[in-house]
Amino acid sequence: MSNSLKRYSIRQATKQDLPAITEIYNERIANSTGLFIYEAVSVDYMKKWLDDSQKMGYPAIVAVEKTTGHTVAYSYLGSFRSKPAFNLSAEITVYIHLDHHRQGLGRLLSLEMIRIGTEMKFKAITAGITTENTPSIGLFKSLGFNEAGVFHNTGYKFGRFLDVTFLEYCIPETEGPGDGKIPRFIPFPWDKYVFGQSLYNK
Ligand SMILES: CC(C)(COP(=O)(O)OP(=O)(O)OC[C@H]1O[C@@H](n2cnc3c(N)ncnc32)[C@H](O)[C@@H]1OP(=O)(O)O)[C@@H](O)C(=O)NCCC(=O)NCCS
């Protein structure tokens, strides 16, 4: 068992987590070049994200500190590109509250998301990271992501042009549906998810 699991539990994201998720996200909007967003978002904005994830069958999970019950981190998969040809590619996101960095949560949540994405039959999990965000790039590379390329000066924040590095995690065992068929991932089993357990054999 990962040491982080002594202190934190992992479960699916719910409406009750949205204020904490919004706070974690807004702190990074205000203080980092990791996100190319300038204005803080509302809890309603995050509610739409969660509703859309559930409707489309994308997963979203959170880490909860056992002693306080606080939601301190979250991770999700979303669409890489909206055209159907890209349906089996997902983009991963992971955010940890500043007070809980370096406790192993980034690794734990990302590994669980890779496991989930593999069971959902994605072919590739991608990440687009501001190149100067070396902790995130280090995290994903340590989990088996390969650098796919760098877009130079494509983002602009805090008065500076920024490079964005794309990383990919390829899942060789996923097969396509056959010629002429639209590829579809298996929807995340919302309300049935248990951390670390097979998603569909129940
Ligand atoms: C990147 C992030 C998710 C890492 O989470 P974390 O819980 O602090 O990381 P972990 O404790 O699990 O560390 C895992 C690995 O990440 C890397 N890492 C994390 N923080 C690092 C830092 N400050 N400097 C260098 N490497 C770092 C290391 O490779 C580390 O492995 P190690 O402990 O064996 O050296 C966290 O810093 C974060 O939420 N950042 C803001 C959001 C973000 O950039 N998300 C990624 C884009 S979607």
Side-chain angles (χ1 to χ4, degrees), residues 159-177:
R160 290 192 293 128
F161 286 105
L162 295 154
D163 297 348
V164 179
T165 298
F166 275 74
L167 299 123
E168 60 187 358
Y169 181 96
C170 299
I171 303 170
E173 61 263 36
T174 299
E175 291 176 6

Side-chain angles (χ1 to χ4, degrees), residues 31-49:
N31 299 314
S32 85
T33 53
L35 279 110
F36 291 102
I37 301 178
Y38 297 136
E39 304 282 341
V41 301
S42 64
V43 174
D44 275 352
Y45 172 97
M46 282 299 184
K47 182 173 180 304
K48 183 169 180 337
W49 155 74

